[in-house]
């Protein structure tokens, strides 16, 4: 998928200041329709494009013209297997470039990345994380190079659903998430779905249970499994996020995708206390009360839940696609995976592109960095990712290693075709991961009722939005005094 489409240029956006009524209204309309603000810019004068505007795919000759080049990468440790396969392929195609890779464990990576990128000699290419906690701070600090021109040059904007790319867009001042400049690209497709144990389902009742294809199939299967005396869903929630993702799986059936994204993006006037979210929270609490989730789940880690599931406990595991290598290794052909379709036949799920890649605004290796991202988004990069046990966005012509990964690839294609990624609740604020994780634990055990749960989550969102608006006002005042 090395595209050579005709470059198209962005239309300029009007200068934006604080999160004023007009801009807020525009953001609301755009988020609810799943569209991005057209063109590059926002939050001030057009940001300088480090290394100049890219108008066509960077050629081998153009990279070679820079002579001996060292390209420095900083990535999450989860990328190690992919980078071990991909970097040698890149260095073979661009022999004048020596790629230096540094990886860090997630907790340390996300805590230090903004300081690292603020230094005088930051890495040329880095991974970030969607949402206000990492990417928002990097954009606010002017540490990332916009990639709208690169996307046009390589044709990425034709490959990704508009709604999906909104997770990589920010206003230049970092105040608005979901529209504005494109600041990253994502190569992997990661989403939450339903793993099932075919052997266990076949052994329930006189005729067994067919793998569920729809949400109605799935909820009926839960009831049948419970009636048989087996545990329907294996859940390990000591890490707090698995139950949040289980809630998201239920919510995806009840709330329009753009409504979910609008709240996560911080669109003014949105709320978590919607009818759909209330129904989803009630369903989750009801499942816990009925024993669908077993007992002791808040003391079981997500990794231990995978181990228990592959050991035969639970007919289903609602979890991220990234668990497929561990599950497939243990269950083999007995492992199955799907996203149950909605009542209107769509595929919608908690999910997003994988950790995005960014180019430093301070790099002097722009051509080599763009060539790296371009090759990573190609079929060559996709195959390297598949060989590393990951699910690439590009699956056409890519050899997936086993039946489970092929099933996931087909499901992922449906998800992207339907533009059904709802993103993750915890992107909504810097503290939402802790807030919603803790509150969902309490919802499951009944320590909090549904109304209290919804109010607590919305209160976190509201407090964060207030802080963001104050930051935007201070930034606008600073720009005004300096003009």
């Amino acid at each position: 998928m090395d595209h050579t489409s005709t470059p198209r240029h962005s239309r300029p956006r009007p200068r934006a200041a604080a999160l004023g009524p007009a801009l807020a209204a525009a953001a609301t309309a755009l988020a609810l329709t799943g569209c991005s603000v057209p063109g590059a810019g926002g939050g001030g004068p057009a940001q300088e494009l480090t290394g100049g505007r890219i108008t066509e795919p960077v050629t081998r000759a153009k990279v070679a013209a820079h002579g001996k080049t060292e390209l420095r990468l900083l990535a999450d440790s989860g990328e190690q297997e992919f980078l071990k396969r991909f970097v040698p392929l890149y260095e073979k195609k661009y022999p004048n470039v020596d790629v230096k890779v540094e990886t860090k464990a997630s907790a340390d990576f996300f805590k230090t990345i903004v300081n690292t990128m603020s230094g005088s000699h930051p890495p040329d290419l880095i991974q970030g994380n969607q949402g206000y906690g990492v990417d928002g701070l990097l954009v606010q600090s002017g540490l990332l190079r916009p990639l709208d021109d690169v996307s046009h040059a390589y044709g990425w904007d034709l490959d990704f659903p508009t709604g999906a790319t909104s997770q990589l867009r920010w206003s230049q001042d970092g105040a608005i998430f979901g529209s504005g400049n494109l600041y990253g690209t994502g190569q992997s497709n990661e989403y939450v779905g339903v793993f099932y144990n075919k052997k266990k389902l076949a052994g329930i009742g006189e005729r067994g249970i067919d793998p569920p294809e729809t949400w109605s199939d799935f909820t009926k299967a839960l009831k049948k499994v419970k009636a048989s005396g087996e545990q329907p869903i294996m859940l390990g929630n000591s890490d707090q996020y698995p139950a949040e993702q289980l809630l998201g799986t239920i919510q995806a059936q009840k709330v329009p995708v753009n409504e979910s994204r609008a709240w996560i993006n911080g669109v003014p006037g949105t709320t978590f206390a919607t009818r759909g979210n209330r129904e989803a929270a009630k369903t989750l609490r009801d499942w816990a009360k009925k024993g669908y989730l077993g007992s002791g789940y808040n003391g079981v880690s997500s990794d231990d839940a995978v181990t228990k599931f592959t050991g035969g406990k639970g007919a289903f595991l609602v979890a991220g696609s990234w668990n497929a290598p561990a599950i497939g290794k243990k269950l083999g052909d007995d492992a199955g995976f799907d996203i149950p379709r909605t009542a209107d036949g769509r595929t919608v799920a908690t999910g997003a592109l994988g950790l995005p890649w960014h180019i430093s605004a301070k790099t002097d290796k722009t051509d080599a960095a763009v060539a790296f991202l371009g090759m990573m988004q190609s079929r060559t990069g996709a195959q390297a990712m598949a060989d590393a046990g990951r699910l690439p966005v590009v699956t056409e012509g890519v050899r997936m290693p086993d039946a489970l990964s092929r099933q996931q690839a087909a499901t992922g294609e449906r998800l992207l075709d339907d533009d059904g990624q709802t993103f993750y609740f915890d992107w909504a604020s810097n503290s939402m991961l802790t807030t919603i994780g803790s509150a969902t634990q309490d919802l499951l055990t009944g320590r909090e009722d549904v109304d209290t749960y919804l109010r607590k989550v919305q209160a976190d969102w509201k407090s964060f939005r207030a802080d963001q608006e104050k930051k935007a006002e201070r930034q606008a005042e600073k720009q005004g005094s300096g003009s």
Side-chain angles (χ1 to χ4, degrees):
M1 196 188 69
D2 287 311
H3 295 280
T4 56
S5 57
T6 303
R8 289 160 289 159
H9 298 283
S10 303
R11 286 177 286 162
R13 286 187 62 207
R15 179 189 176 97
L19 201 65
L23 187 56
T28 301
L30 289 161
L32 291 174
T33 57
C35 298
S36 299
V37 174
Q47 185 174 345
E48 181 181 352
L49 294 175
T50 306
R53 181 176 292 277
I54 301 295
T55 59
E56 59 185 9
V58 175
T59 63
R60 193 179 307 184
K62 189 174 183 181
V63 175
H66 293 282
K68 188 173 178 57
T69 300
E70 181 179 282
L71 187 67
R72 298 169 57 230
L73 272 66
L74 177 60
D76 180 83
S77 58
E79 300 293 328
Q80 287 178 343
E81 288 302 316
F82 163 66
L83 291 172
K84 281 180 185 176
R85 288 167 171 79
F86 178 70
V87 168
L89 298 174
Y90 173 84
E91 290 177 328
K92 183 178 181 181
K93 183 173 181 179
Y94 303 95
N96 63 306
V97 183
D98 182 22
V99 179
K100 298 294 185 185
V101 176
E102 180 184 1
T103 62
K104 291 184 178 181
S106 296
D108 184 39
F109 179 69
F110 293 131
K111 285 179 183 175
T112 60
I113 188 169
V114 175
N115 285 339
T116 299
M117 295 305 293
S118 299
S120 59
H121 187 49
D124 304 294
L125 280 164
I126 58 154
Q127 281 193 299
N129 195 11
Q130 297 95 328
Y132 289 95
V134 177
D135 281 4
L137 295 175
L138 290 169
V139 172
Q140 285 175 19
S141 303
L143 299 173
L144 303 182
R145 182 197 189 280
L147 297 179
D148 299 87
D149 59 332
V150 177
S151 177
H152 287 315
Y154 281 82
W156 298 339
D157 43 355
L158 301 177
D159 296 323
F160 292 92
T162 302
T165 59
S166 68
Q167 65 192 273
L168 305 170
R169 292 190 179 278
W170 291 87
S171 60
Q172 190 176 309
D173 56 9
I176 299 177
F177 175 34
S179 61
N181 285 344
L182 182 76
Y183 280 96
T185 184
Q187 190 209 8
S188 60
N189 186 10
E190 297 181 342
Y191 55 91
V192 178
V194 178
F195 289 94
Y196 52 86
N197 185 329
K198 298 177 186 175
K199 187 175 181 180
K200 184 172 281 294
L201 290 181
I204 291 176
E206 294 182 0
R207 304 174 64 178
I209 298 174
D210 293 330
E213 296 182 357
T214 67
W215 188 252
S216 176
D217 293 341
F218 180 57
T219 54
K220 289 176 182 174
L222 295 178
K223 190 174 182 180
K224 289 180 180 177
V225 174
K226 180 60 180 173
S228 75
E230 294 280 355
Q231 180 174 321
I233 297 175
M234 184 63 229
L235 174 67
N237 193 43
S238 65
D239 306 313
Q240 296 188 331
Y241 73 85
E244 173 205 332
Q245 294 182 353
L246 177 56
L247 175 76
T249 299
I250 301 169
Q251 188 242 23
Q253 300 289 325
K254 302 176 182 292
V255 178
V257 172
N258 290 329
E259 186 178 313
S260 297
R261 291 174 179 170
W263 180 80
I264 291 169
N265 288 344
V267 172
T270 57
T271 178
F272 194 71
T274 63
R275 185 175 67 178
N277 284 347
R278 187 182 304 277
E279 290 178 1
K282 283 183 176 179
T283 298
L284 181 61
R285 173 65 187 135
D286 187 50
W287 285 4
K289 288 168 66 177
K290 290 179 176 176
Y292 284 8
L293 312 177
S295 61
Y297 38 77
N298 281 339
V300 178
S301 72
S302 56
D303 288 343
D304 286 344
V306 171
T307 301
K308 288 175 181 289
F309 175 70
T310 56
K313 188 168 186 178
F316 300 101
L317 176 75
V318 180
S321 53
W322 50 90
N323 290 290
I327 293 171
K329 185 177 180 180
K330 290 286 186 180
L331 291 183
D333 291 341
D334 287 333
F337 180 87
D338 205 350
I339 298 173
R341 295 177 191 268
T342 60
D344 60 356
R346 301 185 70 238
T347 301
V348 182
T350 295
L353 303 176
L355 295 179
W357 284 89
H358 306 295
I359 294 179
S360 166
K362 300 177 183 177
T363 186
D364 57 358
K365 318 281 174 54
T366 298
D367 285 338
V370 169
F372 190 92
L373 295 186
M375 187 171 170
M376 193 167 66
Q377 291 295 121
S378 73
R379 188 172 296 149
T380 300
Q383 187 61 61
M385 177 150 287
D387 292 342
R390 306 268 301 284
L391 182 61
V393 170
V394 177
T395 55
E396 184 178 354
V398 174
R399 300 181 306 278
M400 302 304 292
D402 52 44
L404 182 60
S405 61
R406 288 192 289 275
Q407 197 172 12
Q408 283 197 319
T411 306
E413 279 188 35
R414 277 172 29 212
L415 182 64
L416 289 177
D417 287 346
D418 286 349
D419 198 8
Q421 294 179 335
T422 63
F423 305 161
Y424 295 92
F425 295 134
D426 53 76
W427 291 1
S429 81
N430 288 343
S431 53
M432 188 58 74
L433 179 63
T434 299
T435 297
I436 197 169
S438 175
T440 307
Q441 283 187 326
D442 290 341
L443 175 71
L444 287 168
T445 60
R447 284 195 293 268
E448 285 185 356
D449 60 27
V450 170
D451 287 336
T452 303
Y453 174 74
L454 297 174
R455 281 198 301 270
K456 182 175 285 187
V457 174
Q458 183 62 18
D460 180 294
W461 183 95
K462 191 174 180 180
S463 174
F464 180 73
R465 294 312 314 162
D467 288 343
Q468 287 293 104
E469 291 186 24
K470 289 178 182 175
K471 281 184 182 178
E473 289 171 359
R474 288 196 294 270
Q475 182 66 19
E477 291 172 358
K478 186 177 178 181
Q479 288 178 352
S481 62
S483 61

